[in-house]
Amino acid sequence: MDTLNEFLSGFFRYSFHMNEAVASVIMRESNVPEKVLLLFSHTLNAQHIWNCRIQGVQAVRGVWDMVPPAEISDLNRQNDDITGDIIKGGSLDTLVEYTNTKGEKFANTRQDILLHVVNHSTYHRGQIASALKHAGIDPPTTDYIFYKRSRL
């Protein structure tokens, strides 16, 4: 595996781990706002959709479909497994042609799409943390450096 593949794999390990931290809060707390469930569902659905676009298959989830809390960790694992296979298989420079949810046609490289997925997930986890805090729920710390930090 080359350096870019290892780099992306590391970011997706981080993203998977932090998604699990959010899922844990959702499963543990009884008063999670619907906005949190919607944003987290959107985050997981978007990764599913991008994985499908890269694979050239039809997505089975809509970008704003609500994922039942009991299915969140399974979807996160499925997404992670498929993304891992995508990173390991084929050139990251390969152009992927796709149609967005508005019906517009675009093309981007696999590496650009994968970086987008990580950034998109990080962005929405920040929104989720804010919404949890506003609801009086301690959000998990999901910063990349927190994940990578070594204690001395």
Side-chain angles (χ1 to χ4, degrees):
M1 192 180 298
D2 70 18
T3 305
L4 181 56
N5 293 64
E6 290 171 6
F7 177 78
L8 284 171
S9 291
F11 267 112
F12 276 98
R13 296 301 329 135
Y14 152 71
S15 194
F16 171 79
H17 183 78
M18 293 306 150
N19 282 347
E20 284 300 296
V22 171
S24 177
V25 170
I26 289 171
M27 296 304 293
R28 181 181 66 237
E29 299 291 335
S30 60
N31 61 333
V32 172
E34 186 171 340
K35 177 181 180 176
V36 168
L37 296 173
L38 184 62
L39 285 170
F40 197 50
S41 294
H42 169 72
T43 301
L44 297 174
N45 291 335
Q47 185 173 353
H48 162 77
I49 290 166
W50 282 112
N51 282 343
C52 289
R53 287 173 178 166
I54 292 170
Q55 293 176 308
V57 299
Q58 184 66 40
V60 296
R61 297 180 175 279
V63 71
W64 288 106
D65 289 351
M66 188 69 82
V67 178
E71 296 176 20
I72 285 172
S73 283
D74 286 341
L75 180 56
N76 188 41
R77 169 64 63 196
Q78 291 168 10
N79 281 343
D80 188 60
D81 289 345
I82 292 168
T83 302
D85 290 343
I86 288 169
I87 292 169
K88 291 175 193 166
S91 170
L92 294 174
D93 290 330
T94 301
L95 210 56
V96 176
E97 295 179 6
Y98 60 92
T99 303
N100 71 6
T101 56
K102 296 177 183 176
E104 302 165 322
K105 294 184 184 227
F106 296 97
N108 292 94
T109 63
R110 289 164 50 137
Q111 71 185 16
D112 288 341
I113 291 169
L114 292 170
L115 284 170
H116 166 72
V117 170
V118 171
N119 283 331
H120 180 261
S121 297
T122 301
Y123 172 77
H124 286 303
R125 281 192 301 268
Q127 290 180 309
I128 290 165
S130 179
L132 286 170
K133 197 175 237 184
H134 188 263
I137 301 170
D138 285 333
T141 302
T142 60
D143 292 337
Y144 180 72
I145 199 67
F146 177 81
Y147 171 74
K148 294 297 285 188
R149 183 176 288 157
S150 298
R151 298 210 186 267
L152 298 177

